[in-house]
Amino acid sequence: MALLRTNGSGVMDALRDVRDGWRWRELWLTLGWRDVLLRHRRSRLGPFWISLSMAFVAGCMGTLYSAIMQRPPHDYIPYLVAGFMAWNFTSALINEGKDSFVANAASMREIPVPGTVYVYRLLWRNLLVFGYNTIVYVIVLFIFQIWPFPALLLALPALVLILLNGLWAGLLLGVVNARFRDFGQLIPNVMRLVFFVTPVIWHAESATGYRSVFVHLNPMYYFIELLRAPLLGQMPGHLLWGVAFSITVVGWVITLPVYAYWRRRIAFWI
Amino acid sequence: MALILLENVTLDFPIPASKVRKVLPSGLGQAVGGQLATGDLGGLRVRALENLSLSLEPGDRLALIGHNGAGKSTLLRVMAGLYPPTQGRVVVQGRIVPLLNLSFGMDMEATGYDNIIVRGLFLGMSRAEIKRKLDSIAEFSELGEFLDLPMRTYSSGMRARLAFAVSTHVDADILLLDEVVATGDASFIKKANQQLADAASQAKILVLASHANKVLRGFCNKAILLEHGKVKAFGAIDEVLETYKGAPAK
């Protein structure tokens, strides 16, 4: 039974949306997988272009920047690859999260499926892209003889934590962008800047003195490092887990009432 | 148990960042569309439905009649749960299958078979269910080997066949249809009507918006006449169609 109102559905309704969306997984697993294939349609290599472009980053940027940053290549290239993988994954959840509803306007006007389906779709799609990148990561580990176990096992909870954040980010940014489209123009601009002030191609300890605020007050840093450290065989510190976990809680606390209040209006805005 | 219950439903569309260029001289009312008013967000809002009450039970076959913009499609979308009402209450029970737009969910680059799966999943079928019905859907569409080709090679009639085939293979409690049998050649229209009749006889509630009186008479037993989002008449199909015919198009 479904009772409909425009405004102010309860927080429980919003949570139910999260659960119901999960039940539609056959749909979003299919859609997400097709999204990946679609981007590389009619090309011979298909989604392996994702791996190939990561290989270019490793080969070209790795060799050049290891000189610029004055780090040995066997140290710098794995750091760069792991960092790029974590950055591409995390930033895509934000950049694509803002479009989670706008990009699905056609289906939201036709078929009554929970809005969370579209967020699950983009999480799954980016997880697949991450998977294609791991091919390069494994090759790099092999070349530079790095044995990342047992710390690598912590990459799994790190991924889960990032996905939990991607879920709220997709709902919150998606709903705000559906109403205020300028917001959607702003996000890619901000993210481009954030890339340069986040330690992805440089090391966190290079930001000395007061400059360390770019690292320590930068939420992206915590998620990137949380995933990158285990990929390189290092244990992420307690502070990283603590901050990332707190951001998750705060994000959900903000998102649930906003999404609950506005979710029914999305159909009118898109 | 299938049920649709609408109580005093009013639906306003907010249209942010819009304004009317000039005020029309009074007395020159518009013939089509909903009612315009100034909305709370500064822009305009369109009142698409006003104070509409309705209850449908199993066995009801409702025809939606009215001019362009009278609110027929909007009402279907309210019933489908796509548009929540601004005021009033909507209660819907049962598995709803909306067939509002035949081109929806169709990916031109994907093959016909792929599109059957995606559209089927969107309509709430499981993969297993789609697999089970795949042959029947393929057969109904009469597309044969074209189902292995990308959809961009299809004509619009062929696309409609496929979309229609998938949608009518869902076991629905409530079937919502919006002018769906307009495309396709004569033999397909005949077949589609037959299939629709089958699907409709299985569905417990059918709501159909159309301008084709013959189609409406063939499928429906009740009708509702909408004008500017308000109910003008409600009752048995023949009476309401008479009222509609008799009413001057203002």
Side-chain angles (χ1 to χ4, degrees):
Chain A
M1 174 157 140
L3 190 84
L4 292 175
R5 281 177 306 176
T6 303
N7 274 333
S9 68
V11 166
M12 286 313 289
D13 288 333
L15 278 172
R16 202 168 297 135
D17 227 27
V18 172
R19 186 197 64 189
D20 289 348
W22 182 255
R23 290 203 182 132
W24 282 80
R25 57 190 170 276
E26 274 193 321
L27 174 62
W28 53 257
L29 286 173
T30 308
L31 290 175
W33 175 236
R34 288 166 50 87
D35 286 340
V36 176
L37 296 180
L38 196 90
R39 281 187 203 172
H40 308 277
R41 187 155 279 168
R42 294 210 225 175
S43 76
R44 247 182 208 230
L45 288 177
F48 286 100
W49 275 108
I50 300 167
S51 327
L52 208 59
S53 80
M54 181 56 76
F56 285 138
V57 168
C60 301
M61 278 191 73
T63 43
L64 175 62
Y65 276 73
S66 67
I68 295 174
M69 302 288 171
Q70 297 177 338
R71 302 249 172 189
H74 64 83
D75 184 41
Y76 185 73
I77 292 178
Y79 176 83
L80 186 72
V81 168
F84 252 101
M85 279 170 68
W87 170 264
N88 286 350
F89 180 59
T90 314
S91 67
L93 299 186
I94 296 172
N95 277 326
E96 295 176 20
K98 74 175 180 5
D99 292 326
S100 53
F101 301 126
V102 176
N104 289 294
S107 40
M108 293 193 80
R109 273 197 292 263
E110 296 300 327
I111 301 282
V113 298
T116 45
V117 163
Y118 304 110
V119 184
Y120 285 124
R121 170 193 191 168
L122 88 91
L123 297 183
W124 169 238
R125 168 173 76 213
N126 283 297
L127 201 58
L128 287 169
V129 170
F130 186 81
Y132 277 101
N133 281 330
T134 53
I135 297 171
V136 178
Y137 164 72
V138 170
I139 294 171
V140 166
L141 287 190
F142 188 75
I143 292 174
F144 296 102
Q145 301 287 310
I146 297 168
W147 182 250
F149 291 99
L152 184 62
L153 296 175
L154 287 173
L156 218 60
L159 271 175
V160 170
L161 202 58
I162 292 174
L163 287 171
L164 276 175
N165 282 276
L167 188 53
W168 73 252
L171 292 173
L172 184 68
L173 302 180
V175 82
V176 172
N177 186 36
R179 176 66 187 86
F180 304 102
R181 297 297 168 94
D182 294 273
F183 186 70
Q185 303 289 331
L186 179 74
I187 288 186
N189 284 300
V190 172
M191 289 309 285
R192 213 167 299 138
L193 177 69
V194 171
F195 172 75
F196 289 103
V197 299
T198 305
V200 177
I201 52 179
W202 47 277
H203 284 69
E205 57 268 25
S206 311
T208 49
Y210 68 90
R211 294 181 194 89
S212 70
V213 296
F214 286 112
V215 173
H216 295 294
L217 294 183
N218 179 350
M220 287 299 277
Y221 163 72
Y222 294 94
F223 291 106
I224 301 293
E225 185 59 27
L226 202 59
L227 185 53
R228 176 172 52 200
L231 288 176
L232 297 172
Q234 300 151 6
M235 293 283 183
H238 293 298
L239 179 72
L240 289 174
W241 287 107
V243 174
F245 188 75
S246 311
I247 293 174
T248 315
V249 172
V250 171
W252 275 103
V253 166
I254 294 171
T255 300
L256 277 176
V258 173
Y259 182 65
Y261 190 76
W262 272 349
R263 71 193 181 100
R264 295 211 190 280
R265 293 220 153 199
I266 298 171
F268 298 127
W269 291 337
I270 50 176
Chain B
M1 174 68 183
L3 171 79
I4 297 180
L5 183 72
L6 274 66
E7 277 176 11
N8 305 321
V9 167
T10 294
L11 185 89
D12 288 340
F13 279 105
I15 307 169
S18 61
K19 56 177 192 266
V20 172
R21 260 180 307 151
K22 60 173 185 187
V23 180
L24 286 172
S26 58
L28 195 73
Q30 91 238 52
V32 295
Q35 305 161 59
L36 286 174
T38 316
D40 49 353
L41 291 162
L44 289 168
R45 67 193 159 82
V46 176
R47 177 150 290 186
L49 296 175
E50 188 169 309
N51 207 15
L52 197 143
S53 296
L54 181 68
S55 104
L56 297 176
E57 290 164 356
D60 283 344
R61 310 266 176 270
L62 182 73
L64 302 183
I65 307 168
H67 294 289
N68 299 132
K72 302 187 295 292
S73 301
T74 307
L75 182 54
L76 283 171
R77 284 188 162 82
V78 169
M79 289 173 173
L82 294 162
Y83 291 151
T86 315
Q87 288 161 34
R89 220 162 71 97
V90 176
V91 180
V92 178
Q93 284 176 15
R95 186 177 189 182
I96 309 163
V97 173
L99 194 56
L100 307 175
N101 179 353
L102 276 183
S103 64
F104 161 70
M106 291 302 195
D107 179 354
M108 289 302 139
E109 289 292 320
T111 65
Y113 279 119
D114 272 356
N115 274 305
I116 291 176
I117 291 169
V118 170
R119 196 178 168 91
L121 288 170
F122 259 120
L123 289 170
M125 285 198 264
S126 68
R127 262 179 184 277
E129 193 182 347
I130 298 169
K131 275 221 174 77
R132 212 167 52 236
K133 293 178 174 171
L134 194 59
D135 288 337
S136 164
I137 293 170
E139 195 193 309
F140 178 82
S141 72
E142 294 179 341
L143 289 169
E145 285 159 348
F146 267 94
L147 286 172
D148 286 315
L149 293 182
M151 203 138 171
R152 66 189 139 81
T153 61
Y154 290 21
S155 74
S156 58
M158 290 161 78
R159 283 172 205 158
R161 275 170 180 254
L162 189 66
F164 189 85
V166 182
S167 295
T168 50
H169 274 80
V170 188
D171 304 320
D173 293 327
I174 300 170
L175 199 55
L176 306 173
L177 306 170
D178 194 1
E179 288 285 7
V180 283
V181 269
T183 42
D185 51 34
S187 75
F188 178 68
I189 289 180
K190 199 172 154 211
K191 199 174 166 187
N193 278 326
Q194 183 54 46
Q195 175 77 7
L196 211 54
D198 288 352
S201 65
Q202 281 164 26
K204 293 171 185 126
I205 297 177
L206 171 80
V207 184
L208 171 62
S210 176
H211 291 290
N213 291 355
K214 207 178 136 211
V215 174
L216 292 173
R217 279 211 176 84
F219 283 109
C220 304
N221 52 21
K222 287 185 179 177
I224 190 166
L225 173 59
L226 291 172
E227 198 177 281
H228 300 300
K230 286 187 253 189
V231 179
K232 197 75 189 299
F234 178 64
I237 173 92
D238 290 319
E239 290 167 28
V240 178
L241 278 176
E242 279 306 308
T243 316
Y244 183 46
K245 225 167 36 183
K250 64 157 195 169

